[in-house]
Amino acid sequence: MKDIICPNCNTAFKLDDAGFADIVKQVRDEQFTEELNHRLAIAEKEKSNAVMLAEANLKNTLQQELSKKEQEISALKSSKALEIEQIRAKVAQAEQEKRQAVLEATRAIEKERDGLLNQLSNKEVERQLQEKSIQEQFNQKLLTKEETIKMKDDEIARLKDFKQKLSTKMVGESLEQHCEVEFNKLRATGFQNVYFEKDNDASSGSKGDFIYRENDQNGNEILSIMFEMKNEGDETATKKKNEDFFKELDKDRNEKKCEYAILVSMLESDNELYNNGIVDVSHKYKKMYVVRPQFFIPIISILRNAALNSMQYKEELAIIRNQNIDITNFEEKINDFKSGFSRNYDLASRQFKTAIEEIDKTMNHLQKTKEALLASVNNLRLANSKTEDLTIKKLTHGNPTMKAKFDGLK
């Protein structure tokens, strides 16, 4: 129990621990509440002051930033206004340039239009003149064509007549005989130094009909031809073609070492390719031709003229070849001289080395001899010195007998 005195009436009364604790709790709760309210009021006031201060600071900051932004906006407006003025000036200048360009282009187009109109007028005149000229050329070509057709008809008639006469002429004689006769007619005038005879060498199993060879005065071959003659009458049963004989002709040409191969043929009489003239079949066999009998002499003349024209180059080539041979021989002689000189140099070098070695050996031997002689001289010097130092006194020292004898001689 605890004694409690009332603060109003000063009356004492007793309370147990529970009541005392309750009163203490009430007093403490009231003080805590008051203190709490006081603290809350202070905190509220501080909060209000802090808010007001923050608002003031924020307002000040915002006012500064607003002022700065207003300055930037003012500067930006000034800059943009200047740029707008510049752009307007450029637009105005561009418009002016555009109008000027349009004006110049319009003038150029008008000028070009006027030029085109003039050209068109000139072209019309030229067209009329060209039409007139073309018409005249057409008439001229038409006239020429008619004359050409007439000449062709005359040529065809002449060739038909020639072919008929040729066939009639060759009745009773072979194509080989005909060609030989044609060649012999010109041998005395243009082919005096030419060998033209039948090919009788069949050792390889086949042979041609004729071989043509021609050499110059130095023995250099100008032209060589292997001829094969085929008559339509000879092959009537089989009706062979010209190309059936190319391979065998090429073989005969190579075996007889001829430069050209020519087939004189009456085969395929309806083939316009062979009837038009000289046919070059070098795409199948090199330097091979097919001719009709009437082109037998012309093909020889063509090949002969070409060969004569190339003789100068052949002679120059032969001279160059001989010069190359001389150069080769000269180089071989130089190489032989170099080889012999090198061999002799090696021998002399080895002998010189041997002589040097022998000289070195001799010098070593002489050096040893010199050293021996020097040693001998030294010994002689020592012996001489010993001889000069030799006296009777020294000889008789310790030898009383000899001393007495020398003393007796004195």
Side-chain angles (χ1 to χ4, degrees):
M1 297 298 288
K2 295 184 181 291
D3 292 333
I4 301 300
I5 298 174
C6 178
N8 294 323
C9 62
N10 295 322
T11 302
F13 58 91
K14 293 184 181 290
L15 287 174
D16 55 6
D17 291 337
F20 183 78
D22 185 41
I23 291 172
V24 171
K25 181 178 181 297
Q26 289 179 8
V27 173
R28 186 167 55 194
D29 289 344
E30 185 178 357
Q31 290 178 351
F32 179 76
T33 301
E34 290 178 357
E35 183 69 20
L36 180 61
N37 290 331
H38 180 67
R39 295 287 181 88
L40 287 174
I42 293 173
E44 186 68 24
K45 187 176 181 179
E46 290 178 353
K47 178 181 177 184
S48 177
N49 293 332
V51 169
M52 292 176 65
L53 181 60
E55 287 179 353
N57 292 333
L58 181 61
K59 184 176 180 181
N60 188 20
T61 302
L62 291 175
Q63 188 68 30
Q64 291 178 358
E65 291 182 357
L66 181 61
S67 177
K68 185 178 180 180
K69 291 294 182 182
E70 287 178 353
Q71 292 177 0
E72 291 178 356
I73 290 171
S74 178
L76 184 61
K77 285 182 178 180
S78 300
S79 176
K80 291 298 181 183
L82 182 60
E83 290 182 0
I84 290 171
E85 290 298 328
Q86 292 177 352
I87 291 172
R88 286 177 179 175
K90 289 181 180 179
V91 170
Q93 184 179 359
E95 289 292 335
Q96 181 66 25
E97 292 177 354
K98 181 179 179 182
R99 286 194 294 270
Q100 184 67 26
V102 170
L103 182 61
E104 292 178 357
T106 303
R107 291 175 180 174
I109 292 173
E110 290 177 353
K111 184 178 180 180
E112 185 178 0
R113 181 197 61 190
D114 296 338
L116 290 174
L117 290 175
N118 293 330
Q119 291 180 4
L120 183 62
S121 177
N122 295 332
K123 291 292 183 182
E124 183 65 23
V125 175
E126 291 179 0
R127 185 184 65 79
Q128 293 177 359
L129 293 175
Q130 287 180 355
E131 287 181 354
K132 183 177 180 181
S133 175
I134 291 171
Q135 186 65 33
E136 292 177 354
Q137 291 178 4
F138 176 77
N139 294 332
Q140 183 66 28
K141 289 182 178 179
L142 184 61
L143 181 61
T144 304
K145 183 176 180 181
E146 291 177 352
E147 293 178 353
T148 303
I149 292 172
K150 183 178 179 182
M151 292 175 62
K152 290 291 184 181
D153 291 339
D154 295 340
E155 182 69 15
I156 290 171
R158 187 185 67 79
L159 290 174
K160 287 182 178 179
D161 182 64
F162 176 77
K163 185 176 181 181
Q164 182 178 3
K165 290 180 180 179
L166 182 62
S167 300
T168 302
K169 177 182 178 181
M170 295 185 64
V171 172
E173 66 178 8
S174 66
L175 181 59
E176 292 87 342
Q177 292 173 343
H178 167 74
C179 293
E180 187 176 11
V181 169
E182 291 296 320
F183 184 82
N184 288 332
K185 287 180 180 179
L186 300 174
R187 184 190 288 270
T189 56
F191 303 98
Q192 297 93 339
N193 299 321
V194 173
Y195 172 88
F196 182 77
E197 301 293 338
K198 289 186 66 66
D199 182 15
N200 297 318
D201 183 7
S203 58
S204 61
S206 64
K207 63 183 182 65
D209 288 331
F210 285 93
I211 294 178
Y212 175 102
R213 292 190 188 279
E214 183 175 2
N215 298 331
D216 62 5
Q217 58 185 0
N218 297 322
N220 298 318
E221 183 178 281
I222 298 175
L223 179 64
S224 60
I225 307 173
M226 170 62 71
F227 282 101
E228 182 74 18
M229 284 74 173
K230 292 298 176 183
N231 196 340
E232 181 72 29
D234 297 337
E235 305 295 334
T236 303
T238 57
K239 295 293 182 182
K240 289 188 176 182
K241 296 182 178 181
N242 289 320
E243 62 183 14
D244 296 336
F245 300 95
F246 291 168
K247 183 176 181 180
E248 190 69 21
L249 177 57
D250 186 67
K251 175 176 175 293
D252 294 336
R253 180 262 302 273
N254 291 326
E255 289 178 352
K256 304 303 167 55
K257 294 180 174 54
C258 294
E259 183 178 3
Y260 292 92
I262 297 177
L263 177 64
V264 182
S265 173
M266 292 293 293
L267 306 180
E268 299 182 71
S269 59
D270 296 331
N271 192 326
E272 291 299 324
L273 174 65
Y274 297 111
N275 291 335
N276 285 333
I278 299 171
V279 179
D280 184 358
V281 293
S282 298
H283 59 284
K284 294 184 177 180
Y285 296 93
K286 66 177 183 178
K287 295 187 177 182
M288 182 178 291
Y289 300 90
V290 180
V291 298
R292 294 303 188 194
Q294 59 268 30
F295 295 104
F296 170 68
I297 297 299
I299 187 64
I300 295 176
S301 299
I302 292 172
L303 296 179
R304 186 169 183 265
N305 291 334
L308 290 174
N309 291 332
S310 66
M311 278 302 297
Q312 180 181 357
Y313 302 103
K314 289 183 179 179
E315 291 176 356
E316 293 177 355
L317 182 62
I319 293 172
I320 294 173
R321 188 181 296 111
N322 292 331
Q323 291 176 350
N324 291 334
I325 292 173
D326 293 339
I327 293 172
T328 302
N329 293 333
F330 180 72
E331 290 178 348
E332 289 178 354
K333 290 180 180 179
I334 290 177
N335 291 331
D336 291 340
F337 173 76
K338 288 181 178 179
S339 177
F341 182 82
S342 177
R343 185 172 58 255
N344 293 332
Y345 176 80
D346 291 338
L347 292 174
S349 178
R350 288 196 294 269
Q351 291 174 356
F352 181 78
K353 185 177 181 181
T354 302
I356 294 296
E357 291 176 353
E358 293 296 329
I359 290 172
D360 290 337
K361 292 179 181 179
T362 302
M363 289 178 66
N364 291 332
H365 181 69
L366 291 174
Q367 184 66 29
K368 291 178 180 179
T369 304
K370 178 181 178 182
E371 292 175 355
L373 290 173
L374 290 174
S376 177
V377 169
N378 189 34
N379 291 326
L380 290 173
R381 181 180 60 78
L382 293 175
N384 185 46
S385 298
K386 291 179 179 180
T387 303
E388 290 179 353
D389 292 338
L390 183 63
T391 62
I392 299 298
K393 184 177 182 180
K394 289 181 178 180
L395 288 175
T396 58
H397 178 72
N399 192 341
T401 304
M402 293 302 299
K403 183 176 180 183
K405 289 183 178 290
F406 279 106
D407 290 340
L409 290 173
K410 290 181 181 180

